[in-house]
Amino acid sequence: MSSNHCSTCRHFLTLQDLTVSELKYILVRAKELKALRNTGKPYESLRNRTLAMLFEKSSTRTRVSFEAGMTQLGGHALFLSSKDTQLGRGEPIEDSARVLSRMVDCIMIRTFEHQVLERFAAHSQVPVINGLTDWAHPCQLLADLQTWQEHQGNIQGRTALWVGDGNNVCNSYIYAACMLDFQLRVSCPKGYEPDANLLELASERCVIIRDPLEAASNVDLVVTDVWASMGQEAEQVARRKVFAEYQVNESVMAQANPNALFMHCLPAHRGEEVTAAVLDGPNSVVWDEAENRLHSQKALLEFLLCS
Ligand code: CP
Ligand code: NVA
């Protein structure tokens, strides 16, 4: 899957649209912006800037963190759903990109096919941010990496375990492992692996270990996500059977390091991909992770709009 750069602006379609040092800078800045917000002092680096947020799928965290983030930085965010815009009535994605990008300073899109995002970005005059596609969720990784560093310091050389579906978030974890030099184990049923090209590219950083108990041995971080992502609702019942052995429960966590973290991008289904005891337990940092969507995306917006 190729990344797109228009000649005049930077996009954030995958983590690899950043260099390693840019990614590290954004994570440092996210920490600073979090501390700054906790002082209560206003800080308006994006005064008078507008972010358009185009959603073709539901969202709580992505929508609220981008909107609150723009307000906190002195700017404005516009919520646009495909249902109530002309996009839902068939206006081509390229035309929508041309028009919106003449009016706003940045555009975030959540859509289905990654290629739709790439086509949009190719026709936009302003930075485009991937707010989740079927293939990648890089904004989630900014928050996850910030959270991991916050709780365990330097993550270079550490080990993360992904349990469950090799989905969009999992693909983004593979990029993150390559960029920040940590090991990633993926424990998934046959046929539900992450992107094959990515796995090949990351062969030194990422390994498939089918048995979740074996895979969890001595890991520093355990991550999972829903068994059926948005757009896969029709497969929900079948997937419950396929993934039954891939639940993050106390037995899995017992194999990990005692201070291992548990993360989940949310929304979670207690009793499916994760038990309530783990999600609400002492190793879980899911609420910090959700909050960090706000801080890390503010850092991303500043980076794309001000540098
Ligand atoms: N994690 C995440 O992207 O959540 P939302 O679907 O609520 O935006
Ligand atoms: N994999 C999930 C993530 C939701 C934030 C989905 O795509 O629905």
Side-chain angles (χ1 to χ4, degrees):
M1 204 76 56
S2 67
S3 290
N4 259 304
H5 288 278
C6 67
S7 52
T8 51
C9 60
R10 296 289 299 271
H11 297 312
F12 183 64
L13 310 190
T14 77
L15 273 187
Q16 288 214 324
D17 284 329
L18 302 174
T19 64
V20 171
S21 55
E22 286 168 348
L23 173 60
K24 288 181 176 168
Y25 165 77
I26 287 172
L27 293 172
V28 169
R29 186 66 185 143
K31 191 176 166 186
E32 286 171 4
L33 287 170
K34 185 171 188 172
L36 197 59
R37 174 157 164 77
N38 288 337
T39 67
K41 281 189 209 134
Y43 176 75
E44 300 192 334
S45 54
L46 296 184
R47 193 188 286 269
N48 294 327
R49 304 292 191 100
T50 302
L51 169 74
M53 307 185 296
L54 190 47
F55 284 91
E56 297 205 83
K57 290 174 174 172
S58 306
S59 170
T60 298
R61 280 144 288 269
T62 305
R63 176 179 176 180
V64 175
S65 53
F66 270 113
E67 183 157 347
M70 283 303 290
T71 305
Q72 288 163 22
L73 293 175
H76 178 69
L78 268 171
F79 171 74
L80 304 167
S81 94
S82 49
K83 268 188 258 144
D84 346 283
T85 53
Q86 297 291 4
L87 205 55
R89 297 181 59 249
E91 184 165 15
I93 198 84
E94 292 81 359
D95 294 356
S96 306
R98 289 183 180 108
V99 171
L100 284 177
S101 72
R102 284 175 177 235
M103 298 178 182
V104 301
D105 302 286
C106 188
I107 302 168
M108 186 241 85
I109 315 181
R110 170 168 284 196
T111 187
F112 291 87
E113 285 168 61
H114 195 78
Q115 286 88 344
V116 168
L117 170 78
E118 291 182 332
R119 279 166 47 208
F120 190 98
H123 293 85
S124 170
Q125 301 180 7
V126 299
V128 172
I129 296 173
N130 179 357
L132 180 146
T133 63
D134 291 343
W135 191 71
H137 194 4
C139 288
Q140 185 64 50
L141 259 291
L142 296 181
D144 284 26
L145 293 170
Q146 182 184 355
T147 311
W148 196 3
Q149 290 180 342
E150 205 167 74
H151 286 270
Q152 294 190 346
N154 187 3
I155 62 173
Q156 186 179 22
R158 289 192 182 268
T159 304
L161 165 64
W162 177 274
V163 182
D165 190 19
N167 65 13
N168 42 11
V169 182
C170 183
N171 284 338
S172 295
Y173 258 91
I174 297 179
Y175 273 142
C178 294
M179 293 175 77
L180 293 193
D181 196 17
F182 62 86
Q183 295 298 319
L184 178 67
R185 299 179 189 166
V186 176
S187 188
C188 62
K190 277 212 171 72
Y192 294 85
E193 292 80 9
D195 183 275
N197 291 331
L198 273 185
L199 276 179
E200 202 179 310
L201 211 79
S203 58
E204 285 178 15
R205 290 284 167 281
C206 181
V207 60
I208 306 267
I209 302 177
R210 295 287 171 200
D211 176 4
L213 289 177
E214 182 195 337
S217 167
N218 295 117
V219 298
D220 302 296
L221 167 66
V222 179
V223 197
T224 190
D225 189 8
V226 290
W227 289 339
S229 285
M230 290 181 275
Q232 297 172 334
E233 287 77 8
E235 296 172 41
Q236 208 142 18
V237 175
R239 279 173 171 259
R240 252 180 231 142
K241 281 195 196 129
V242 176
F243 285 96
E245 304 300 313
Y246 291 86
Q247 182 187 63
V248 178
N249 51 35
E250 283 164 304
S251 310
V252 172
M253 292 306 292
Q255 302 300 315
N257 283 335
N259 61 349
L261 306 175
F262 171 74
M263 289 207 243
H264 188 311
C265 62
L266 306 177
H269 297 101
R270 288 173 178 79
E272 289 190 22
E273 74 275 5
V274 60
T275 58
V278 171
L279 188 80
D280 302 312
N283 299 69
S284 174
V285 289
V286 296
W287 314 121
D288 290 344
E289 181 188 4
E291 178 187 330
N292 285 338
R293 295 291 305 274
L294 172 70
H295 309 298
S296 56
Q297 287 161 197
K298 283 166 76 176
L300 174 70
L301 287 163
E302 266 194 350
F303 173 78
L304 292 175
L305 293 176
C306 302
S307 54

